[in-house]
Amino acid sequence: MTEGDVLAVEAANESLYAAFEAADLDVMSELWIDGDMSNKARCVHPGSEAIVGRESILRSWALLMANTEYLQFIVTETETVVEGDLAVVTCVENVLSSGGVNRPLGAGRALTTNGFFRVDGVWRLWLHHASPVLSDASDQIGEEP
Amino acid sequence: MTEGDVLAVEAANESLYAAFEAADLDVMSELWIDGDMSNKARCVHPGSEAIVGRESILRSWALLMANTEYLQFIVTETETVVEGDLAVVTCVENVLSSGGVNRPLGAGRALTTNGFFRVDGVWRLWLHHASPVLSDASDQIGEEP
């Protein structure tokens, strides 16, 4: 992978958070993959079920945008791998958000894996997987320590 | 990506769950990437913080294996993409587990993204990201609907 590839992928990654902060569904729509891959697009919001398919995913972002009054992301610990036209970014989303009167300002954090495919020279988001950090993960059944 | 590549990646993916079910740390150790990539290895158990680096990750699995008396995975909805020597698998982990007397048998589910690199012809796990499905995700601060 070249440094240029990594920079381009990380710019695409940043545009995800910029689009969400700005509640810009057009930019979000441009970012998510379309065409043949539309049905393979996959989005996991923190703690939620997976949403599969471009249209359902964009609907979920529209809903999130409508329900969020203030939102600021500070994305840290970004690590990017690129191989050919496939890229994976892992990062930490540090979020400051408010849903308005009934949902006061709060801070949160999510651990994220974002997957991209390069289509016609443009990196398009195909996978967004964000997970919550629970204060007591041992309450969850499964593989956690 | 060839069908052979996909099958090989999915076999590696299955070996992760087989190793955990069998509490076989040797197989788990063989599966996780080593060498130059060791420090880039990343593991998120459901609801937990990210663990970075091969040694810390293997310690976490050893602890999980020690604290689990019975474990059975049924992995569903497996989707695999391969590009050159990089592969990403998304799947759903349906788990039946027990930690013994103090932790009765329970069923759970995690949504997972696993990332692999092919090194010397062998697919090695470099990223494991599993996230819990919370009954009420709106309790979490962040991007969830």
Side-chain angles (χ1 to χ4, degrees):
Chain A
M1 57 187 177
T2 70
E3 196 182 343
D5 284 344
V6 171
L7 290 175
V9 170
E10 294 186 352
N13 197 60
E14 283 163 25
S15 74
L16 167 64
Y17 300 103
F20 190 15
E21 278 182 354
D24 191 329
L25 197 60
D26 289 341
V27 172
M28 189 63 86
S29 181
E30 278 296 304
L31 183 62
W32 279 89
I33 205 155
D34 61 7
D36 293 346
M37 287 283 293
S38 294
N39 293 336
K40 298 282 186 190
R42 183 179 172 89
C43 181
V44 181
H45 297 296
S48 296
E49 295 282 357
I51 303 166
V52 178
R54 174 183 161 84
E55 294 309 316
S56 301
I57 290 168
L58 290 177
R59 257 199 308 275
S60 78
W61 287 108
L63 189 64
L64 286 173
M65 289 171 180
N67 287 328
T68 308
E69 203 162 74
Y70 175 81
L71 189 65
Q72 189 184 351
F73 281 99
I74 299 168
V75 177
T76 56
E77 295 166 57
T78 303
E79 295 276 350
T80 302
V81 299
V82 183
E83 175 95 2
D85 292 325
L86 174 62
V88 178
V89 177
T90 59
C91 58
V92 179
E93 304 173 1
N94 304 276
V95 193
L96 203 61
S97 69
S98 165
V101 181
N102 295 320
R103 202 171 154 204
L105 194 67
R109 201 151 49 94
L111 306 179
T112 301
T113 301
N114 290 322
F116 297 84
F117 272 104
R118 182 160 45 190
V119 182
D120 298 332
V122 178
W123 289 100
R124 307 289 296 274
L125 191 60
W126 132 76
L127 169 70
H128 172 66
H129 183 179
S131 67
V133 180
L134 306 178
S135 49
D136 184 5
S138 63
D139 286 349
Q140 299 298 312
I141 296 164
E143 63 184 65
E144 66 295 325
Chain B
M1 56 187 179
T2 68
E3 197 183 341
D5 284 344
V6 171
L7 290 175
V9 169
E10 293 186 351
N13 196 62
E14 283 163 24
S15 74
L16 167 64
Y17 300 104
F20 191 15
E21 279 182 353
D24 191 328
L25 198 59
D26 290 341
V27 172
M28 188 63 87
S29 181
E30 278 296 303
L31 183 63
W32 278 89
I33 205 157
D34 61 6
D36 293 348
M37 288 283 293
S38 294
N39 294 336
K40 298 282 186 191
R42 184 180 172 90
C43 180
V44 181
H45 298 295
S48 296
E49 296 281 358
I51 304 168
V52 178
R54 174 181 161 84
E55 293 308 318
S56 301
I57 290 167
L58 290 177
R59 256 200 309 275
S60 79
W61 287 108
L63 189 64
L64 286 172
M65 289 170 180
N67 288 328
T68 309
E69 204 162 74
Y70 174 80
L71 190 65
Q72 188 184 351
F73 281 99
I74 298 167
V75 177
T76 56
E77 293 166 60
T78 302
E79 293 278 350
T80 303
V81 299
V82 183
E83 175 94 2
D85 292 324
L86 173 62
V88 179
V89 178
T90 59
C91 58
V92 178
E93 305 173 359
N94 303 277
V95 193
L96 204 61
S97 69
S98 165
V101 181
N102 296 319
R103 203 171 154 203
L105 194 68
R109 200 152 50 94
L111 306 179
T112 302
T113 301
N114 291 322
F116 297 84
F117 272 105
R118 181 161 43 190
V119 182
D120 299 332
V122 180
W123 290 100
R124 307 291 295 272
L125 191 61
W126 132 76
L127 170 71
H128 172 66
H129 183 179
S131 67
V133 180
L134 306 177
S135 49
D136 183 6
S138 63
D139 286 347
Q140 299 298 312
I141 294 164
E143 63 184 65
E144 68 293 328

